[in-house]
Amino acid sequence: MLDSLRQPLESGEVVLDRSRGSVRYPARFQLVLAANPCPCGLSGVVVPGQPAACSCTPIQKMRYTGRLSGPLLDRIDLVVGVTQPSRVELLDAGRHEPSAAVARRVLAARERAEQRWLGTPWACNARVPGVELRGPRWRLPPAALAPLHDAFGRGRLTARGVDRVLRVAWTLADLAGRDQPGVPEVLQAIDLRTSAAIPGAAA
């Protein structure tokens, strides 16, 4: 059932084919998925002085993560691992950035993107085709692209993943107030896609 989301995630449309013809509906949406690292949810949890909390076998973990197909995960821009917070992190609200401050930064980044794509068919980085970002007008300098070529050559990224990393890198640059992504933004975009990737996924 989840795999039916692959096409609308890619094209922003839902296509219904019937005997009398086809109908296209707009379907641009933000998909947020959450999954435990294993069936018991305790993989990676370490308590000093105590035995490993997770008792799942490698086969059980593979079967569990295999429920999300590689082609679906390849259409996910960010794969972020979340660890169990400590009591200090959970109770000390002053450690976290206020939502209003985050909202201001996001708004400023979106305004930068809108100005960049003014006069084009796109209003935000997520909708720009990869062929445009790789083309002569928006192609990044060789130094910034080097980590991307390396990750692709090592099999850490698919061709689709390269385009998605570029879009995320442009967004990171907008958040940082930079005119275009540099090596730090490209490396961070790759890390956000691959460092916590689910085993067996085409990411």
Side-chain angles (χ1 to χ4, degrees):
M1 195 66 175
L2 283 172
D3 273 355
S4 63
L5 297 173
R6 286 162 51 185
Q7 181 58 36
L9 279 171
E10 190 74 20
S11 65
E13 294 181 324
V14 169
V15 181
L16 300 180
D17 293 311
R18 295 293 183 267
S19 59
R20 296 184 179 181
S22 298
V23 179
R24 295 177 179 270
Y25 294 102
R28 290 212 173 269
F29 58 95
Q30 187 175 55
L31 177 66
V32 179
L33 301 174
N36 286 325
C38 66
C40 75
L42 297 175
S43 180
V45 176
V46 178
V47 179
Q50 295 187 16
C54 175
S55 59
C56 300
T57 66
I59 292 179
Q60 287 175 322
K61 292 180 180 180
M62 287 293 292
R63 286 176 179 168
Y64 181 76
T65 57
R67 295 178 183 178
L68 295 175
S69 71
L72 174 62
L73 289 171
D74 201 26
R75 289 163 170 82
I76 304 300
D77 292 339
L78 309 177
V79 182
V80 181
V82 180
T83 58
Q84 183 177 355
S86 66
R87 284 181 293 178
V88 173
E89 293 171 331
L90 193 62
L91 298 175
D92 187 1
R95 294 168 57 92
H96 308 293
E97 188 176 13
S99 296
V102 175
R104 286 193 295 270
R105 287 194 293 111
V106 170
L107 180 60
R110 289 189 65 90
E111 289 174 349
R112 290 181 66 88
E114 287 176 6
Q115 286 298 315
R116 177 187 310 114
W117 305 120
L118 201 62
T120 73
W122 318 293
C124 63
N125 300 326
R127 298 188 182 183
V128 182
V131 66
E132 292 290 336
L133 295 178
R134 289 181 275 106
R137 175 66 180 88
W138 303 105
R139 185 183 298 125
L140 300 182
L145 290 175
L148 202 57
H149 290 312
D150 181 68
F152 181 71
R154 293 174 181 268
R156 295 181 66 201
L157 292 173
T158 63
R160 181 181 290 110
V162 167
D163 290 344
R164 292 184 173 273
V165 164
L166 284 172
R167 295 187 189 108
V168 172
W170 276 99
T171 299
L172 291 171
D174 288 333
L175 286 167
R178 296 171 57 93
D179 291 335
Q180 70 174 14
V183 173
E185 287 78 23
V186 173
L187 285 172
Q188 187 178 358
I190 294 171
D191 189 57
L192 285 170
R193 184 173 176 85
T194 62
S195 65
I198 297 175

